[in-house]
Amino acid sequence: MRTKQGSFISPSDITPESVWLGRRRWLRQAALGSLALGAAGLARAADDDSPAGPVLDAPLDARWSTTEKPNGWRDITTYNNFYEFGTGKGDPAAHAGRMALTPWAVKIDGAVQHPMTLDLDDLRRLAPLEERVYRLRCVEAWSMVIPWIGYSLSHLLKRVGPTSGARYVVFTTALQPDVMPGVSQGILDWPYTEGLRMDEAMHPLTLLTFGVYGRALPAQNGAPLRVIVPWKYGFKSAKSLVHIRLQSEPPVTSWMRAAPREYGFYANVNPAVPHPRWSQATEQRIGSGFFAPRLQTQPFNGYANEVAAMYAGMDLKQNF
Ligand code: MTE
């Protein structure tokens, strides 16, 4: 992905597992050698593959879940993109723990009958939580399988009563510059914003997400709540939401503003449309081992049966 200074992550920057393992060893040593707050957490993240943090249990929703083997807790919580905390895959795990998570409120407004601001408890109680095991395909050509916990975003959108003017949904994410070292690096125009068409936002697969692996979301995965849109490249799945706005005009998202020729509004996973600087035909499944064969990337990340009808008649090469 490109930064405002013109540097970018190329496929060769996608961390090979051997390097990544080395970084984890480094993290463990750094943690052991430090008395700083959070060192224990780092050591734990480096050593232990069992889920940690407050329990957030929910029954599996098999209807919307893949039966592929999920990645381990360690993969999911130590190999992250959260550019507010830096561009290294380990930066979010190292720094996101400093984010202030309480109190937390999300404002929902714009083209709605009932604008409201809800705190985290209100939001969690709004609909029954479910576990959904989804594939996540990053635009950088790596992927994981992740057991998220949440409910369809449509429950929240119905609660606020969209008006006829609601054609798009805009997500704005937290901006806490004092604890976000990436924000001063000018990588994007902050805060990070993303958007969906209204029908995409109302699709049952679009998950308002509060947890992973039976635990509350760790900070580096977008605590306390994020959206997950599994048929689109991972950058559409905005973390740490603070504002959801419904509007009639198509939004210009952070990545569209930074590099419009590279990152379109739709960002549907599509092996037939290469990124201008690399192929999207295959992907590296994180945790499968550096020498494991790459997987063929599936149109809509394997969710074509569920979502392709929303794009009938559209040229997906133009509308990338
Ligand atoms: N949300 C915010 N606020 N900032 C980010 O940098 N990165 C995106 C997305 N959401 C990002 C974000 C990208 S590129 C990906 S691939 C996913 O988060 C990664 O989610 P994960 O770290 O939980 O796997």
Side-chain angles (χ1 to χ4, degrees):
M1 298 180 87
R2 184 186 286 275
T3 71
K4 272 162 99 184
Q5 286 87 16
S7 62
F8 57 85
I9 297 172
S10 73
S12 60
D13 292 328
I14 295 167
T15 318
E17 194 177 52
S18 54
V19 175
W20 178 58
L21 286 168
R23 182 183 296 141
R24 280 174 35 220
R25 265 195 296 278
W26 179 86
L27 276 174
R28 187 173 59 228
Q29 273 154 19
L32 288 174
S34 166
L35 293 175
L37 197 69
L42 278 181
R44 190 186 189 298
D47 282 337
D48 192 344
D49 204 19
S50 51
V55 171
L56 191 69
D57 231 351
L60 176 72
D61 183 345
R63 159 112 176 70
W64 300 110
S65 291
T66 173
T67 52
E68 286 161 89
K69 183 173 180 282
N71 281 82
W73 173 261
R74 195 165 43 209
D75 293 338
I76 295 168
T77 58
T78 62
Y79 190 93
N80 300 102
N81 277 339
F82 200 164
Y83 274 19
E84 287 86 334
F85 295 100
T87 54
K89 294 291 178 265
D91 288 341
H95 301 299
R98 293 175 59 208
M99 203 172 20
L101 297 177
T102 48
W104 195 276
V106 180
K107 184 159 109 181
I108 307 123
D109 64 2
V112 300
Q113 288 160 17
H114 315 292
M116 52 182 83
T117 299
L118 297 175
D119 68 20
L120 189 59
D121 285 342
D122 297 332
L123 285 159
R124 273 193 189 158
R125 278 196 295 258
L126 195 123
L129 296 176
E130 300 166 1
E131 182 173 66
R132 305 266 190 99
V133 187
Y134 283 169
R135 288 176 290 277
L136 174 82
R137 169 59 158 84
C138 180
V139 74
E140 296 162 350
W142 55 263
S143 64
M144 293 202 212
V145 175
I146 304 184
W148 302 112
I149 291 172
Y151 54 74
S152 296
L153 176 67
S154 62
H155 291 294
L156 174 61
L157 297 179
K158 284 181 197 154
R159 181 66 62 91
V160 295
T163 66
S164 56
R167 297 182 53 219
Y168 294 90
V169 181
V170 185
F171 303 97
T172 305
T173 86
L175 185 56
Q176 300 180 11
D178 291 351
V179 295
M180 293 177 161
V183 164
S184 57
Q185 291 167 19
I187 305 157
L188 288 171
D189 281 335
W190 311 102
Y192 193 102
T193 59
E194 257 308 333
L196 295 172
R197 225 169 52 186
M198 194 64 191
D199 58 338
E200 298 175 322
M202 291 296 287
H203 193 284
L205 275 170
T206 302
L207 196 71
L208 193 62
T209 305
F210 300 87
V212 62
Y213 255 119
R215 306 291 171 142
L217 273 184
Q220 60 267 38
N221 293 92
L225 80 162
R226 70 183 295 181
V227 66
I228 295 288
V229 194
W231 70 95
K232 294 177 179 279
Y233 291 119
F235 66 86
K236 299 296 288 183
S237 294
K239 296 179 167 182
S240 303
L241 303 177
V242 294
H243 187 188
I244 299 175
R245 182 178 167 79
L246 281 62
Q247 62 184 42
S248 56
E249 322 78 53
V252 179
T253 66
S254 295
W255 281 109
M256 288 166 76
R257 212 173 304 133
R261 280 191 301 278
E262 303 193 14
Y263 305 108
F265 172 75
Y266 283 96
N268 291 317
V269 174
N270 190 344
V273 177
H275 184 279
R277 288 177 282 120
W278 60 84
S279 165
Q280 295 291 22
T282 64
E283 63 201 50
Q284 184 192 350
R285 180 63 54 83
I286 298 301
S288 62
F290 188 50
F291 297 106
R294 296 176 68 85
L295 304 178
Q296 297 294 317
T297 290
Q298 302 301 312
F300 301 105
N301 201 21
Y303 298 96
N305 287 343
E306 290 84 359
V307 302
M310 288 193 289
Y311 310 100
M314 274 178 67
D315 180 345
L316 295 176
K317 291 200 161 130
Q318 292 300 317
N319 298 283
F320 59 90

